[in-house]
Amino acid sequence: MGIPSYERRCAEIINQTELLVATLADADLGVQVPSTPDWTLNQLLRHTGHAHRWADSMLRDRLPEIDFSRNGAQLLESYVGESPSVLIPWLREGAASLAEVLREVDPDEMIAPLGGFPGPRVWSRRMTHETVIHRWDACNALGVPYSLDPEIGQDTLREWTGLALPYAYQRWPSETAPLVGSGTVHLHATDVEAEFVIDLTGPAPVVSEGHAKASVALRGPVVDLVLAVYRRRSLEGLEVFGDRELLELVLDRVRF
């Protein structure tokens, strides 16, 4: 199973948003979201839509660097008492606009780059998986089933190893300091060809794809691995071999 193409990711932003709004027709948006306890469902949806619009804005203006001042995805206190009839078209509009600008720009243009990588490629992937995770949050809050295409789940896991993990080291060095020189972690999906080895023995994490002996291995279906690394589910029901304390430390200290 290969890495999704740039065009697939552009389309997936719309697809994941459609799957999200499909759960909302009769939803009570005032319910608290257990996985993001400071937010109601109303606020979670506004967070997701504002994230789409933030990336859209930077790409349309061809910013040479990321402008965090444009990101309204955390300013959510005022969003109360809204209805699905307002938010559903707003979410669709934002996803469609983001996909549109991503298709218009050169994928390799250095617009709003992140980690030295071209912004269009990074944001096409980041906003796909931002929506994947927050769709789970919404489904969990509403008690409705959640499913994820295995190819997209594999890519969500890949992004966590390649972006979330090094970002945590850079953004929260005091929290990740205990991981430096600690050991190796093997993430092994049992339902798709997705295996990642995370080497934490140096000053920064080094990730490789494939099978290798590690200090600790976590095995399970790819969606469950995604939810575990994003701290949406416990390790219960997944196979853990080796240094469980190291795995729990990594999952505790790496946030995104």
Side-chain angles (χ1 to χ4, degrees):
M1 186 176 293
I3 298 173
S5 67
Y6 180 76
E7 175 56 37
R8 170 75 189 276
R9 286 172 175 153
C10 294
E12 203 61 36
I13 292 170
I14 295 174
N15 180 50
Q16 291 297 322
T17 302
E18 284 298 319
L19 291 171
L20 171 61
V21 301
T23 68
L24 302 178
D26 300 312
D28 175 6
L29 302 190
V31 300
Q32 294 298 130
V33 180
S35 48
T36 57
D38 293 335
W39 295 344
T40 64
L41 181 55
N42 193 156
Q43 292 165 332
L44 175 82
L45 297 173
R46 284 291 184 178
H47 167 85
T48 306
H50 278 306
H52 291 170
R53 283 165 167 75
W54 176 43
D56 187 332
S57 169
M58 292 189 293
L59 293 167
R60 288 188 185 279
D61 291 344
R62 287 177 159 74
L63 298 187
E65 58 186 26
I66 296 172
D67 183 354
F68 288 98
S69 71
R70 296 189 180 200
N71 185 4
Q74 306 300 329
L75 305 175
L76 305 171
E77 293 82 2
S78 64
Y79 295 119
V80 294
E82 295 184 290
S83 68
S85 63
V86 170
L87 285 183
I88 287 174
W90 181 79
L91 287 163
R92 283 175 167 156
E93 178 185 53
S97 181
L98 175 56
E100 177 185 66
V101 70
L102 283 166
R103 289 165 173 150
E104 289 174 351
V105 300
D106 181 344
D108 294 311
E109 190 171 348
M110 295 302 284
I111 308 168
L114 181 61
F117 296 101
R121 292 201 182 276
V122 171
W123 294 110
S124 69
R125 184 175 71 166
R126 177 81 291 276
M127 290 302 136
T128 290
H129 303 309
E130 178 84 356
T131 315
V132 162
I133 295 299
H134 289 319
R135 181 168 68 83
W136 183 88
D137 292 329
C139 288
N140 183 56
L142 293 171
V144 299
Y146 176 86
S147 62
L148 182 62
D149 179 277
E151 183 177 9
I152 297 302
Q154 177 198 51
D155 199 47
T156 309
L157 191 62
R158 178 181 290 108
E159 191 205 33
W160 185 87
T161 63
L163 181 64
L165 186 62
Y167 180 82
Y169 269 65
Q170 297 164 12
R171 182 69 176 82
W172 299 287
S174 61
E175 292 188 24
T176 55
L179 302 180
V180 175
S182 59
T184 52
V185 178
H186 180 203
L187 302 176
H188 183 174
T190 54
D191 56 342
V192 295
E193 293 183 6
E195 294 189 68
F196 301 89
V197 178
I198 304 164
D199 186 343
L200 303 174
T201 59
V206 176
V207 179
S208 58
E209 294 198 31
H211 187 86
K213 184 74 174 178
S215 306
V216 60
L218 177 64
R219 283 171 43 95
V222 69
V223 174
D224 287 305
L225 296 185
V226 166
L227 297 178
V229 299
Y230 270 100
R231 304 195 290 189
R232 262 52 181 193
R233 63 152 291 166
S234 71
L235 297 176
E236 184 178 352
L238 298 174
E239 295 179 287
V240 179
F241 303 97
D243 189 348
R244 187 186 183 99
E245 288 187 3
L246 171 60
L247 177 62
E248 291 176 341
L249 181 65
V250 171
L251 299 183
D252 178 63
R253 297 305 177 98
V254 176
R255 53 192 176 92
F256 189 47

